[in-house]
Amino acid sequence: MIEVDPVRRQVVEEMHLRPSPSVDAPTAMVQFLLLQTQAGTQRLIRRLEGDAQDRRATRHGHFSCDGMDFLWERHSEACTFTVVARVSGVGELCRQLLPLLDPIPGQVLRAIKIAVENDPVRIRNLQQEWQLNRSETVAGQIGELQFWSNFRLNEEDGFGQLLIKPGSMGPNETGRAIQQLQELGNYRNLALLSLPLVRERESELARLEERASAIINQLAGPTDDLEILDELIIAAGEVAHLRDGVSFRLSATRAYGQIASDRLESLGARTLNDFQSLTEFTNRRLLPALRTCENFAARIGDLALRIEQATGLLRARIETRLNVQSGELLRSLGETASNQLRLQHLVEGLSVFAVGYYALGLLGYLLAAVPIAWIGPHKTFQAYLVIPILIMIGLFLRRQRRKDPIDREPDV
């Protein structure tokens, strides 16, 4: 026997998720779509004493309780509970089921009664009771199976209604068709969760767009760049906060909307008599909502990009001005250094005469001890030595300046 890799086991189990029940007429079904955590799902299963069936199950499972079959499946943020029973009617099933579920952990996003009937009399009675003969009724045909629903909430009990006539379709195929119909409705509702949020945050986005436009328009004229930069940074923070608050929901809407479209296409439901078709109903209500959410997400992205571009432009302008100011300051420092160097050279030139004067004075004291007969009059001899001494001192200072690179005139 080969060793089964845990990753392989997960991949194989993923392909067998979403178990569909075997349904034969007459059957009553109820399905709930609950927004709840993993812990909430496990609490509900333990309450119904279904955890004894398979304690390892974390994604899906099935169990029986009080003559009812429960099928559950865990999604990323929601869980579906499907209850199947062979009772006299779906009303009887709800009377038995609701006391067991009360209170339901989490938020009920969708709850629907499903009646599977082949008896024409019972079908007519349910159509009359659930008002499925009106113009807004949605009906269709999948193979031999026919279905009717108005996709409305019953104000008395909070349930939607779905009537199924399987005809000659087998129990397994009927179960799969009902499951596909339910998945379409579930993913449609999950996709529409963003719409109330978008409508709620619409005014906030409009305010940020108006504010950003006003700030960006100021860049065309003389303004305080640092003050505008502060305003842009604050606006960018508010846009980031808005995006953080809606990004998960909008991303989930894109995914759920795509899945709902795929389910609708795979169903291939045909129109039934002159009722509204499932495709018409879904496209007329779901697609505009998805486009609204997509537009909202695109506006947030566009606003963030505009603020980012304006911030980059403003920073470039500030940096350019700082560079110009730095260049002017360097030139000013260079001119100051050149003037200081020229002044230093002037002082050194004057110092040649000062040193020469003191050197001649010292020489005069030395010459006083020399007889006049040897060199002639002392004053005359000192006059002869003035020019050579000055030349020697000048050459010495020039040589010292050349040795010191600091004294060279800077290049500006």
Side-chain angles (χ1 to χ4, degrees), residues 96-109:
Q96 295 180 18
L97 175 64
L98 293 181
L100 297 176
L101 298 179
D102 189 38
I104 299 177
Q107 177 185 355
V108 180
L109 184 59

Side-chain angles (χ1 to χ4, degrees), residues 201 238-249 300:
R201 308 297 290 270
E238 293 179 356
V239 172
H241 177 71
L242 174 61
R243 171 182 277 176
D244 182 68
V246 300
S247 59
F248 171 77
R249 193 72 269 156
I300 293 179

Side-chain angles (χ1 to χ4, degrees), residues 3 77 87 110 122 172 221 262 269 295 311 315 351-352 401:
E3 183 179 355
E77 58 177 331
V87 294
R110 189 167 183 258
R122 293 181 62 85
N172 293 332
D262 294 342
N295 175 259
T311 303
R315 284 177 173 170
S351 67
V352 171
R401 187 166 63 249

